[in-house]
Amino acid sequence: MHTMMLKHPQQKYRAFAPIALPDRRWPDAQLTRAPQWCSVDLRDGNQALIEPMDPARKLRMFQTLVQIGFKQIEVGFPSASQADFDFVRLLITQNLVPDDVTIQVLTQARDHLISRTFESLVGAKKVVVHLYNAVAPVMRRVVLGLDEDGVVDLAVTHAAMIRDMAARQPGTEWTFEYSPEMFSNTDLHFSKRIVDAVTATWAPTPTRPCIVNLPSTVECSTPNQFADMIEWMHRQLERRDAIVLSVHPHNDRGTGTAAAELALMAGADRLEGCLFGNGERTGNLDLVNVALNLYTQGVSPGLDFSDIDAIRRTVEHCNQLPVHPRHPYVGDLVYTSFSGSHQDAIKKAFAARKDGEIWDMPYLPVDPKDLGRSYEAVIRVNSQSGKGGIAYLLESDYGLELPRRLQIEFSQVVQAVMDIDGKELGSDDLWALFAKEYRPEQAQLARVEIQEQELGAGGQGADVSVRAQWQQGGQVREVHGRGNGPLAAFVAGVQAATGVSVEVLDYHEHALSGGAEARAVAYLELRVGGERTLFGVGMDANLVNASMKAVLSGVQRALGESRDTATKVEEISV
């Protein structure tokens, strides 16, 4: 029988009790510097994988973390498996750990596991030994069968063992870390009691501090309540000046990033997490998210994500898990706008922005180029898109600077295709549609002759004569016209050849490229037959020829010439 959600969930679940901290200070705090970062990808992230990393993947992940700039990297649980033990030995014996990087290993509060852990660390330069034991009431009652005194004794006994075993390996620079597991489900007074007992055993000093790590092993409160817990501990712990206060948020409620940021505001100094939030259940804290949140507020995170796509590829390879396309900062679609109004705003903001200005762009909290992304994917076109996005793609990839009214006209052509196909259109697709609709390089024009004669003192400007041949529907028409310029003369000739009035309403042109291969493009807004208004587009190495091609582009569109019977364009020679 299928179990239904409860109509009265309070009968099964209880609300998290608020923290008595009426003078809380964290809401007014501002993050102005980066925390200490510790990656736990190779331990907490690795043990969460269906298929744990093999040695090659582990090493690739480790090297990537070093390149990013992590100075503390938890590399495994060497007493838990031979694979983790061997990987720790590999890093040490092959001298693969840079001098400025400290490796971290995890161990439970059990004698034989601690002994095995220190065996794996022989010869290491700098190590954090991370000790944990469960402290939550449900764990004391159901799993351990110990009272509070018994749990404190368990922690203190094994903290002393770690201290004594480290003293027997003086060649290593040791740092001790303690986590009261399931801190997020534990009474604060008991958490303080056990942490104080452990730090008293280790006797840290401000110059040689220990790490106290407070994990939301299971996220069970809103982020503000977790911040209250951290601030309470920050203010109440003994030997606080000799403690690096760390947090290890999980993401069971989907608020791991918020919990971490508010914890930093509440007094935490250090964060543990994984790249892109990998970890057990709903994952660990996403360190990339927090780091780039700081970056977009003008705070240097001390971590380098200049090629975030390469980092994502490594993480996906090592974890054998995909990164979601909407994942903050790194997903394939996170800088992409399909909405027409969004695209229009982005296009206008890019056009208005000057190099060196503060980044203030609609819908883009960070410059994609800072993270190694191009602007290619910022705007993409689907059935929800508008003229701004279409124009942006044609300009960025093909150099076309479409006049606004042409953007409106062509967007209707695109929308008609989208209504039928419903698929996303890339810039290549848009160019193919544009070329099919306007045939900018395929005007049916050949053998052009232009003669220009200055008018005498009684006249103004020049008298220009144009002769050309216009191929339409397999027929060749003679074009002969006169006017005060080549374009006006050509328009007059086209009118005479077709018997249809043609009026140039607006004219835009620009260069497409420089150097010997330079070409120009002309956009003409025309009124054809006294009624229909539409655009023609022409491209040519010669601007005058591009303008003539634009006239024919518009006239042929107006006359409805079949594109299937269009003959190949001959080069224009002037």
Side-chain angles (χ1 to χ4, degrees):
M1 179 178 178
H2 178 62
T3 302
M4 304 296 289
M5 289 183 66
L6 302 176
K7 292 183 179 180
H8 302 285
Q10 71 274 14
Q11 297 174 352
K12 185 174 184 178
Y13 303 100
R14 62 172 177 258
F16 190 84
I19 309 302
L21 195 68
D23 61 338
R24 59 182 60 84
R25 302 163 190 164
W26 64 262
D28 294 324
Q30 185 175 4
L31 299 180
T32 58
R33 60 184 177 85
Q36 294 182 29
W37 307 101
C38 178
S39 160
V40 294
D41 288 88
L42 286 164
R43 192 272 302 174
D44 210 15
N46 185 42
Q47 72 184 23
L49 301 177
I50 298 171
E51 183 180 335
M53 299 180 212
D54 58 27
R57 283 183 165 88
K58 284 186 178 182
L59 187 56
R60 178 174 172 180
M61 177 68 84
F62 179 79
Q63 292 169 337
T64 296
L65 293 167
V66 169
Q67 290 168 2
I68 291 170
F70 284 97
K71 301 305 179 186
Q72 295 180 12
I73 302 172
E74 191 166 277
V75 294
F77 200 146
S79 63
S81 73
Q82 189 65 42
D84 270 19
F85 185 96
D86 292 343
F87 182 66
V88 173
R89 294 308 303 155
L90 173 71
L91 293 177
I92 296 169
T93 59
Q94 299 297 316
N95 197 29
L96 298 175
V97 182
D99 291 341
D100 62 345
V101 171
T102 300
I103 59 172
Q104 178 170 306
V105 293
L106 186 71
T107 181
Q108 286 178 299
R110 298 174 67 181
D111 291 7
H112 70 287
L113 298 182
I114 292 173
S115 296
R116 179 69 166 165
T117 297
F118 275 89
E119 183 183 342
S120 75
L121 295 171
V122 172
K125 297 174 184 176
K126 294 192 293 186
V127 177
V128 173
V129 179
H130 184 182
L131 171 71
Y132 78 96
N133 67 302
V135 299
V138 67
M139 296 296 286
R140 299 196 304 260
R141 183 179 68 253
V142 175
V143 179
L144 301 176
L146 295 173
D147 59 11
E148 289 188 357
D149 291 344
V151 172
V152 172
D153 181 67
L154 181 71
V156 168
T157 298
H158 291 94
M161 181 179 179
I162 285 175
R163 178 198 61 201
D164 296 342
M165 295 195 73
R168 293 197 285 272
Q169 295 184 31
T172 299
E173 181 181 325
W174 299 101
T175 300
F176 304 142
E177 176 177 350
Y178 175 65
S179 287
E181 188 190 15
M182 296 189 74
F183 164 80
S184 50
N185 297 81
T186 305
D187 172 74
L188 286 175
H189 292 278
F190 182 65
S191 292
K192 167 179 160 53
R193 177 189 171 190
I194 196 166
V195 168
D196 286 345
V198 169
T199 59
T201 303
W202 283 338
T205 67
T207 56
R208 296 205 60 176
C210 69
I211 300 169
V212 171
N213 186 58
L214 303 176
S216 55
T217 309
V218 177
E219 189 178 39
C220 56
S221 72
T222 55
N224 61 301
Q225 291 172 319
F226 185 67
D228 283 346
M229 296 175 71
I230 299 303
E231 182 170 331
W232 192 94
M233 294 289 282
H234 167 60
R235 291 162 61 174
Q236 298 293 330
L237 286 177
E238 297 176 8
R239 290 168 285 278
R240 178 64 182 90
D241 64 345
I243 291 172
V244 174
L245 191 59
S246 176
V247 294
H248 182 117
H250 279 242
N251 197 44
D252 300 87
R253 292 170 57 94
T255 58
T257 294
E261 291 179 329
L262 298 190
L264 293 176
M265 294 165 62
D269 308 302
R270 179 178 183 267
L271 295 181
E272 292 189 348
C274 295
L275 298 179
F276 312 131
N278 183 43
E280 289 186 297
R281 304 184 308 279
T282 53
N284 286 352
L285 168 67
D286 179 357
L287 295 180
V288 184
N289 201 347
V290 178
L292 293 179
N293 283 354
L294 288 171
Y295 181 79
T296 61
Q297 299 298 301
V299 177
S300 174
L303 300 175
D304 186 4
F305 298 105
S306 296
D307 192 352
I308 199 167
D309 287 337
I311 295 169
R312 184 195 68 220
R313 287 191 293 271
T314 292
V315 171
E316 289 180 327
H317 170 77
C318 293
N319 292 340
Q320 301 184 69
L321 291 171
V323 172
H324 195 280
R326 300 290 184 192
H327 199 103
Y329 296 110
V330 70
D332 284 332
L333 298 176
V334 295
Y335 305 114
T336 300
S337 287
F338 291 103
S339 163
S341 60
H342 291 192
Q343 293 173 344
D344 187 58
I346 291 171
K347 181 177 183 294
K348 289 174 179 175
F350 268 123
R353 186 176 186 274
K354 297 179 176 61
D355 287 342
E357 290 182 341
I358 289 293
W359 185 258
D360 185 18
M361 298 289 288
Y363 309 111
L364 290 173
V366 67
D367 186 347
K369 285 192 173 179
D370 288 357
L371 307 181
R373 288 276 184 91
S374 71
Y375 293 145
E376 180 180 358
V378 168
I379 290 177
R380 289 162 65 173
V381 174
N382 67 6
S383 60
Q384 304 301 310
S385 305
K387 56 188 178 297
I390 295 166
Y392 177 88
L393 290 179
L394 287 177
E395 180 174 351
S396 60
D397 290 351
Y398 288 93
L400 298 180
E401 301 171 14
L402 304 188
R404 182 166 180 78
R405 286 191 296 276
L406 177 53
Q407 294 177 26
I408 296 170
E409 180 183 284
F410 182 54
S411 69
Q412 296 169 352
V413 175
V414 175
Q415 192 64 50
V417 172
M418 294 302 307
D419 288 344
I420 296 172
D421 295 340
K423 298 178 181 179
E424 179 190 350
L425 297 181
S427 57
D428 290 346
D429 301 315
L430 291 174
W431 166 248
L433 273 180
F434 188 84
K436 181 179 180 181
E437 180 68 24
Y438 295 96
R439 289 176 294 168
E441 297 181 286
Q442 296 180 13
Q444 312 303 302
L445 191 64
R447 210 179 68 186
V448 176
E449 297 177 1
I450 299 176
Q451 294 181 347
E452 185 172 345
Q453 180 179 355
E454 294 289 338
L455 296 178
Q460 294 181 351
D463 179 49
V464 178
S465 172
V466 171
R467 288 183 179 272
Q469 288 184 343
W470 173 24
Q471 300 179 17
Q472 179 187 11
Q475 296 180 348
V476 177
R477 297 193 182 196
E478 292 290 334
V479 177
H480 179 206
R482 303 180 73 89
N484 61 4
L487 181 57
F490 186 75
V491 168
V494 170
Q495 291 185 113
T498 62
V500 177
S501 64
V502 180
E503 181 183 358
V504 178
L505 302 178
D506 202 3
Y507 176 88
H508 300 268
E509 53 85 11
H510 64 82
L512 278 175
S513 56
E517 301 298 323
R519 292 192 303 156
V521 58
Y523 313 98
L524 271 65
E525 188 174 15
L526 307 171
R527 181 179 290 124
V528 181
E531 296 180 356
R532 186 176 180 190
T533 299
L534 76 172
F535 275 84
V537 182
M539 293 179 181
D540 196 87
N542 179 280
L543 180 56
V544 172
N545 296 345
S547 302
M548 293 180 183
K549 287 184 174 183
V551 171
L552 290 183
S553 167
V555 169
Q556 290 176 164
R557 291 182 66 225
L559 296 179
E561 177 183 318
S562 170
R563 293 175 176 82
D564 295 333
T565 60
T567 54
K568 187 177 179 181
V569 183
E570 298 182 29
E571 292 296 323
I572 303 173
S573 57
V574 178

